[in-house]
């Protein structure tokens, strides 16, 4: 078969389902193209099509597997978050096993997958939420997999009845994907007469009315989220998955800094790298919670880049490629 395929007179495209399979198995045809060829042959009613309809599902399954693994690699490449990564891998395994049980006619559980993310700002909550959306799309759990990030102002209205309307409109936009509510506890801070309670009630109702149509993730500081869940007896049972995002260690912050610089095509001098590592180690545990973690590192890097620009702009015509890529400790120091 391989010798025939290398013959210049051999057809450039597979003509039967059997040829599609042979080309795929020999590595001459990607799985997505194989699926398209099988679909075209099925439409034309080719002689060997029907026996291979099952094979098209195999190709789709392989493509899906690659999508899932690609998303999980993106998750695994994140710095730190060991327990969060483990939980996401467990969720993936659970979903695929339940789907397989359903295919084989076994009882499959329909566990609610709505989640609580607790942790300080800059610990990766939003990033992981986006990854979970793409993962659930790859797993055929959510058709779109997009993430809609909202806060209190997007849900709470100004008069009676307005809040429910606003919240329902946001839910409609989130269907097929993930709704990520940051600082979710702010919805309950106003007490019984506050319109935030109406937003909570509308979200709870939507979780029942639109079961399996969207994923709701509520996020915020650990203590505040614990208090928030205690304000409504029905909330805790509706969010069976809780993920805690710990503060990053100094070594992890340095890894994040180097990764950010690499993405932007910058690098630190040896001295700047050493000094920044020492600074982060000394300062660990002393940052204001709103300024810490990856957000802190991003701010330091961005300010250092601006300070470098000021240093170079006076002789911009004579700067080299390496000059433009190098950040010194003078650029970094004072950039927080």
């Amino acid at each position: 078969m391989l010798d025939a395929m290398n013959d210049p007179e051999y057809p450039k495209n597979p003509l039967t389902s059997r040829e599609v399979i042979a080309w795929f198995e020999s590595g001459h045809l990607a799985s997505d193209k194989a699926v398209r060829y099988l679909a075209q042959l099925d439409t034309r009613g080719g002689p060997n099509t029907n026996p291979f309809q099952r094979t098209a599902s195999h190709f789709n399954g392989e493509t899906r597997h690659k999508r899932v693994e690609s998303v999980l690699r993106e998750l695994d490449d994140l710095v730190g978050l060991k327990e969060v990564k483990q939980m996401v891998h467990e969720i993936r395994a659970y979903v695929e096993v339940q789907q397989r049980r359903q295919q084989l006619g076994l009882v499959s559980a329909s566990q609610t997958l709505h989640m609580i993310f607790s942790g300080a700002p800059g610990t990766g909550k939003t990033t992981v939420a986006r990854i979970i959306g793409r993962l659930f799309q790859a797993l055929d759990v959510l058709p779109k997999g997009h993430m809609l990030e909202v806060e209190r102002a997007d849900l709470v209205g100004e008069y009676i009845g307005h809040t429910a309307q606003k919240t329902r409109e946001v839910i409609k936009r989130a269907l097929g994907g993930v709704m990520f509510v940051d600082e979710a506890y702010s919805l309950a801070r106003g007490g019984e007469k506050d319109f935030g309670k109406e937003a909570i009630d509308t979200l709870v109702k939507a979780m029942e009315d639109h079961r399996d149509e969207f994923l709701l993730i509520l996020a915020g500081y650990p203590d505040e989220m614990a208090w928030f869940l205690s304000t409504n007896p029905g909330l805790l049972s509706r969010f069976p998955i809780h993920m805690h995002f710990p503060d990053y260690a100094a070594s992890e912050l340095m890894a994040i800094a180097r990764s950010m610089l690499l993405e932007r095509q910058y690098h630190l001098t040896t001295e700047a790298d050493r000094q920044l590592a020492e600074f982060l180690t000394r300062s660990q545990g002393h940052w204001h919670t709103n300024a810490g973690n990856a957000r802190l590192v991003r701010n330091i890097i961005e300010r250092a880049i601006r300070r470098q620009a000021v240093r170079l702009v006076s002789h911009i015509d004579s700067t080299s490629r390496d000059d433009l890529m190098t950040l010194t400790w003078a650029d970094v120091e004072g950039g927080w």
Side-chain angles (χ1 to χ4, degrees):
M1 172 61 72
L2 289 177
D3 291 340
M5 291 170 66
N6 292 326
D7 189 326
E9 295 186 0
Y10 196 81
K12 299 300 181 184
N13 299 318
L15 302 179
T16 67
S17 296
R18 293 186 186 277
E19 288 183 359
V20 172
I21 295 169
W23 285 37
F24 172 74
E25 291 179 343
S26 65
H28 283 70
L29 195 64
S31 58
D32 56 339
K33 290 185 178 180
V35 172
R36 288 200 296 272
Y37 278 126
L38 286 170
Q40 292 169 1
L41 290 168
D42 181 59
T43 302
R44 295 198 300 263
N48 296 319
T49 299
N50 289 336
F52 295 94
Q53 286 179 350
R54 183 174 60 87
T55 308
S57 298
H58 166 74
F59 288 132
N60 281 325
E62 179 161 332
T63 301
R64 163 179 149 154
H65 177 76
K66 289 181 178 178
R67 292 200 309 268
V68 170
E69 292 301 320
S70 175
V71 175
L72 289 175
R73 278 196 301 274
E74 182 180 350
L75 172 73
D76 292 338
D77 286 342
L78 297 177
V79 174
L81 303 177
K82 179 180 178 181
E83 293 183 0
V84 170
K85 294 172 183 178
Q86 181 179 344
M87 176 66 77
V88 175
H89 279 274
E90 288 179 4
I91 293 170
R92 176 267 183 105
Y94 170 81
V95 169
E96 291 201 324
V97 167
Q98 294 305 314
Q99 290 174 335
R100 184 59 176 163
R101 286 176 61 89
Q102 189 175 33
Q103 291 171 0
L104 297 178
L106 296 172
V107 174
S108 58
S110 178
Q111 180 180 336
T112 301
L113 295 175
H114 301 299
M115 305 175 187
I116 297 292
F117 284 6
S118 62
T123 50
K125 299 188 298 296
T126 304
T127 299
V128 171
R130 291 195 181 100
I131 290 174
I132 287 176
R134 293 196 294 275
L135 176 63
F136 277 17
Q137 182 188 33
L139 288 169
D140 299 323
V141 174
L142 297 173
K144 297 180 181 178
H146 66 292
M147 190 181 85
L148 184 63
E149 187 173 358
V150 299
E151 54 188 20
R152 176 186 167 93
D154 300 304
L155 302 173
V156 178
E158 300 174 358
Y159 49 84
I160 296 176
H162 188 209
T163 294
Q165 177 186 346
K166 286 186 70 173
T167 303
R168 282 194 294 266
E169 289 173 354
V170 171
I171 292 167
K172 185 177 180 180
R173 289 159 50 204
L175 292 179
V178 174
M179 181 191 292
F180 182 82
V181 185
D182 200 11
E183 297 186 357
Y185 43 80
S186 65
L187 296 173
R189 278 184 170 165
E192 287 294 320
K193 296 183 179 181
D194 183 70
F195 293 140
K197 183 178 182 300
E198 186 178 0
I200 297 172
D201 294 340
T202 305
L203 286 172
V204 169
K205 185 175 186 301
M207 293 166 69
E208 295 297 329
D209 295 346
H210 300 284
R211 182 185 295 272
D212 303 326
E213 293 184 65
F214 79 111
L215 174 68
L216 180 60
I217 299 177
L218 304 183
Y221 290 105
D223 291 344
E224 284 85 344
M225 290 304 297
W227 168 82
F228 170 64
L229 292 173
S230 70
T231 63
N232 187 316
L235 280 178
L236 188 60
S237 62
R238 288 178 167 84
F239 293 90
I241 299 174
H242 291 222
M243 296 191 198
H244 176 63
F245 291 70
D247 290 338
Y248 288 109
S251 60
E252 293 173 330
L253 291 177
M254 272 307 300
I256 292 171
R258 292 174 183 132
S259 177
M260 288 180 177
L261 288 166
L262 185 63
E263 290 176 2
R264 293 165 171 79
Q265 292 188 310
Y266 287 91
H267 60 82
L268 297 170
T269 63
T270 301
E271 175 67 9
D273 188 273
R274 182 184 65 80
Q275 291 266 39
L276 180 57
E278 291 180 358
F279 170 77
L280 292 173
T281 300
R282 290 194 309 269
S283 305
Q284 188 169 339
H286 300 293
W287 296 107
H288 187 281
T289 51
N290 286 332
N293 296 294
R295 185 173 300 178
L296 162 71
V297 172
R298 185 180 67 241
N299 289 339
I300 290 175
I301 295 302
E302 290 178 350
R303 288 169 185 167
I305 290 173
R306 293 197 297 269
R307 288 164 68 90
Q308 182 230 42
V310 172
R311 175 169 59 83
L312 296 179
V313 71
S314 62
H315 55 281
I316 189 67
D317 292 337
S318 62
T319 55
S320 67
R321 177 183 175 88
D322 189 61
D323 291 335
L324 294 170
M325 296 174 66
T326 302
L327 297 178
T328 68
W329 177 240
D331 299 324
V332 178
E333 188 177 19
W336 44 82

